[in-house]
Structure formats: C-alpha cells, structure tokens
Amino acid sequence: MFELNASQTSPSSIREPARDVPVCHDCDIVVAGGSTTGVFAAVAAARLGARVAVIEQLGMLGGTATASFVCVWHTLLDAAFSKPVIAGLVAETLSRLRRRNVLIERPPSPHLHFIFPPAELAIELDRMVAEAGIRVFLHARCAAAVKNDAGRAHAVIIEDKSGRRAITARAFVDATGDGDLVHQLGFETRTAAHLQPPTSCALVQGLDELGRQTQGFSLNKVVFDPKYPQALRPGFLWHARLPGADVHMVAGTRVHGADCSDAGQLTAAEIEGRRQIAAMIDLVRKNVLGGDQFALLALPARIGIRETRHAVCLHQLAEKEVLNGTRFTDAIGNGSYRVDVHSSNGDGLVFRYLDGREEYHTADGRHEERRWRPASEASPAFYQIPYRSLVPRGAENVLVAGRCIDADEGAFGAVRVMVNTGQMGHAAG
C-alpha cells in the first residue's frame, strides 16, 4: 500500500512503505546493458572464469546494432586500410556471422566495411552468452544501485516481470550507454552542452527496384527536397542493403536537441523519429513513379542514441590525442574511424581524418573540403583508447564501457562507433 496525505488532492509526492528487496542472484560481475559492448564485457569476463550476469531492458541483446537497426560496422584495418589494428571479440563476432553466410563485406572505406541483418546478430549474441554460461536478465531495468558501508558498489536493484529484486556482485560494468549505473551510484557524470542528435532507422523494401525503374532516383534528394511540404529538415541520409533481399536499413532522421537520458525527452524523440520515418515513406509513395512499391518493413525497438551522459573518469580522451595518434601505456584498444560530429542544432556534420583532411557537410547539401593539418606533416595510422577513460573517479569496483566513456566532443565523435565500443567492453570484462 502507498500512503497519501489526506489533505492533498493532488500530492507532489507519494510515500512508499519501506520494504526488503530479495536478492535473486549473486555473481562476480554485473554488466548493466546488453548491447554488443555489454555482451563483449560479459563474455570476456566469463571466459576468464568469472560468474557474470547481464541486465538488459529490451527483449534482445545487441542494443543499437540489433534493436535500433544500426547494422553496419566500420573497418578493423588502419586508416590506410593496409593492416588490421582491431581484433578480439569484435573480430570474432564478424567471423561467426561470416561462417553463417549472413555478412556482407564491402571494400573497406571510411564509411563502412561490414553489413549484417540485425536479427542474425541478435541470435549470435544469444549463442555467445549461452556458451559462456552467463546469466541474462532480459526485460529488466536497473532501477537503483546500492553501495556498501565502505562506499563500494554492492548491488543493482532491477525491476522486471517478477518484481523488484537485487543482484549482488563484486564488480560492475556500466554498459548502459547513458551512464545510468554510475549516475545511480552517485559518481560524477556530465552532459555535453551540445549533444549529437539521435536517429531513428527503419527497414524498408523496394529501394533497389525504384533505382531500376526510375532513372536518377535518389532517396536523399526526395526526402530533403523543399518543394514537398512534407520534406524533412535538410540533413544527412544514408542507407545500406542487407544480405539476401531488397531490404535496406535507412538512416535519415534527426531529433535535434534531445537528451535521451531524460524520460520525457526520450519519449518525445521516439515519437518524432517515427514521424520522420513516416514522412520519408509517404514522400516516396506520393511523388516517385513506382513509389507504391516502397514498403516500410520494420520500426526500431529503440531510437539510435548517439550521446547522453558521460562518466567523469581518470582521463578525458581528447580530440587532439585521437587525431595525433597518441600512444598510451594503458591502451586497451585501437581505432581508425574518423572524427564524426553531428551538429546538435542541425547545421550539418563534420568529418576529420587522421591524414589531415576535413569534410564539412552542410545541412543544405553542400560539401566543403579543407585540411585541419598540412599535407606535408606525417599522419598516424590509428589512435588508441586508454583504460583510464573507462575508470570513473572515486570508483573502486566499477568500470564504464561504450558511449558513456569520458571523451571530449571530437574524440567522442571517433570512439563512439561499435567497433570501438566493442573493444571497450572486451577490455572492461
């Protein structure tokens, strides 16, 4: 029962009675968040002999790669595409998809290298955690976290179909993306003044057929064409064909100004993302010859979130360290993906490459090329991610992995992609 002050018809708060929360599981390591980052943390730890539990609020593992349809990974090669610099569980997962013949491998480029069906990855991640003997809690939300008398993280309180329960552990990995666990534990977090906007992706059918039937057809041009009243705000759209059929993942929406670590803003962003997807579909159907064959097949279970909270860690990775290829004595991963910053207000996006090139894509479709470093200077082949950027200040038994890493705007624009966050998860585990 809940206590309600009888003098208040519209109370500002409701008092819950104190209660004991049953412990439903005890383990060595709890991983909060079942994205690929979180799965790799769990699998790495379990293979080293730890008893591991993963908590995931959705009904499948894989996070952005599966539930949000961002089913492309960037190259594991250096910036010159000459030698591999990334391995571990990222490479193993790609090998598993390759063996099942569900992986498209394009020639390596700054844009992408690998494409896979989201559902196939979700199934493979199920197999990986089962093989490693990991306890998985799906449809479970981390509602609170508990410290012991010494100030160390001691338990996570979850809420799932069985109620409110506790999982105790010796160590914790926050792979929630939003830094939920470190925030609940009271460790310092920060939110950037200018957040990169989230994108709702969609699976559609008929793009290949439209290209064959309509000469010069470009989804990008139609969606942002101001002559149509329903046109989206000028931006950046790309799509990738999935293995086996005329099915494309399309990423063209932007929800500017949304902080998806806030419940109200997350709800509004989900609805706005779907509205923009519907506008794209309707534009093609109504204004392109043969557009009636253009079909929306699936909406994501969750909007693709680029940035929310960052943990304040022992070291904040800086853009200059990324672009100059700084070597760290505590490096836990390498990266070659470019700095990629989407404007928070819709002005466009900027790419900065390790070879000194810079590309600025304006919101109205213009493309400007310049240099941030003279062509005469030597360029690094890759950059590194230090362990210190995964260690929250004041935390003894908690690590972060994924997009809640401590990095400034430019560095975060490079390390936030999944081939990099996957290495963070592997290292944390």
Side-chain angles (χ1 to χ4, degrees):
M1 296 180 62
F2 298 93
E3 297 179 11
L4 180 64
N5 188 331
S7 65
Q8 293 180 302
T9 57
S10 299
S12 59
S13 65
I14 295 175
R15 181 180 298 277
E16 289 188 68
R19 57 179 168 175
D20 292 328
V21 177
V23 175
C24 66
H25 189 64
D26 176 73
C27 58
D28 297 314
I29 299 173
V30 162
V31 178
S35 63
T36 52
T37 302
V39 169
F40 293 168
V43 170
R47 288 180 179 178
L48 290 171
R51 297 171 301 129
V52 185
V54 173
I55 304 165
E56 170 53 43
Q57 61 184 329
L58 298 179
M60 70 175 73
L61 300 171
T64 300
T66 56
S68 303
F69 296 162
V70 185
C71 49
V72 300
W73 282 2
H74 300 92
T75 186
L76 309 189
L77 304 174
D78 64 12
F81 310 121
S82 61
K83 64 179 181 179
V85 294
I86 298 169
L89 285 166
V90 175
E92 178 185 325
T93 302
L94 291 169
S95 295
R96 294 170 76 114
L97 294 173
R98 186 182 296 115
R99 288 197 298 269
R100 295 177 52 216
N101 199 31
V102 293
L103 183 69
I104 291 178
E105 300 183 58
R106 289 188 178 177
S109 77
H111 306 291
L112 59 87
H113 193 166
F114 306 100
I115 308 171
F116 47 82
E120 295 283 0
L121 177 61
I123 290 169
E124 200 59 47
L125 295 175
D126 284 344
R127 290 172 174 162
M128 290 175 72
V129 296
E131 291 167 4
I134 295 163
R135 174 72 183 272
V136 179
F137 294 82
L138 295 178
H139 297 292
R141 178 178 293 276
C142 295
V146 178
K147 290 181 179 178
N148 63 18
D149 293 340
R152 292 168 57 87
H154 173 64
V156 172
I157 308 296
I158 66 169
E159 289 185 347
D160 60 10
K161 293 293 286 186
S162 295
R164 190 173 176 92
R165 310 187 288 166
I167 303 172
T168 56
R170 262 46 88 204
F172 300 79
V173 177
D174 187 335
T176 62
D178 298 320
D180 289 337
L181 183 59
V182 292
H183 177 69
Q184 291 164 348
L185 286 165
F187 298 116
E188 186 179 359
T189 62
R190 62 176 178 81
T191 302
H194 303 288
L195 293 172
Q196 295 198 51
T199 289
S200 289
C201 299
L203 298 186
V204 302
Q205 187 175 42
L207 268 183
D208 289 343
E209 186 60 29
L210 277 172
R212 285 189 289 266
Q213 291 185 7
T214 307
Q215 186 175 10
F217 169 75
S218 166
L219 182 61
N220 200 311
K221 291 180 180 178
V222 173
V223 165
F224 300 123
D225 193 333
K227 74 181 181 184
Y228 301 123
Q230 315 100 310
L232 298 190
R233 180 179 173 181
F236 188 75
L237 181 148
W238 61 278
H239 52 86
R241 184 180 182 276
L242 273 58
D246 180 10
V247 176
H248 286 245
M249 180 276 280
V250 176
T253 69
R254 294 289 185 282
V255 183
H256 300 288
D259 178 358
C260 292
S261 66
D262 174 85
Q265 294 186 55
L266 174 59
T267 297
E270 294 278 18
I271 294 170
E272 172 59 17
R274 289 193 289 269
R275 184 202 67 79
Q276 293 183 29
I277 290 171
M280 286 195 294
I281 300 298
D282 290 344
L283 275 167
V284 174
R285 286 175 176 168
K286 294 177 181 178
N287 300 291
V288 177
L289 182 65
D292 55 343
Q293 301 178 52
F294 190 51
L296 175 62
L297 297 184
L299 291 167
R302 182 172 59 202
I303 193 170
I305 302 171
R306 288 188 175 87
E307 184 178 18
T308 52
R309 294 191 197 97
H310 295 274
V312 175
C313 295
L314 299 181
H315 177 78
Q316 182 178 98
L317 185 62
E319 180 179 21
K320 64 181 181 180
E321 294 171 328
V322 166
L323 292 176
N324 292 317
T326 300
R327 297 294 182 260
F328 297 99
T329 56
D330 60 343
I332 54 85
N334 300 324
S336 60
Y337 183 69
R338 61 199 172 187
V339 169
D340 173 356
V341 179
H342 295 244
S343 170
S344 62
N345 61 12
D347 287 341
L349 60 93
V350 63
F351 296 132
R352 295 190 186 96
Y353 298 85
L354 298 186
D355 64 5
R357 291 179 297 122
E358 180 175 291
E359 296 177 359
Y360 179 55
H361 296 260
T362 63
D364 59 6
R366 289 179 292 112
H367 176 201
E368 300 175 6
E369 294 189 6
R370 50 206 182 199
R371 296 194 65 86
W372 64 267
R373 174 168 49 208
S376 57
E377 294 184 7
S379 301
F382 60 92
Y383 50 83
Q384 293 189 318
I385 302 167
Y387 173 73
R388 285 166 285 171
S389 295
L390 309 183
V391 184
R393 290 189 180 276
E396 294 183 22
N397 61 336
V398 180
L399 296 175
V400 300
R403 57 182 174 81
C404 52
I405 184 178
D406 198 351
D408 69 13
E409 180 181 76
F412 180 70
V415 302
R416 64 177 172 80
V417 296
M418 281 177 271
V419 294
N420 289 335
T421 62
Q423 295 177 86
M424 300 176 206
H426 188 156

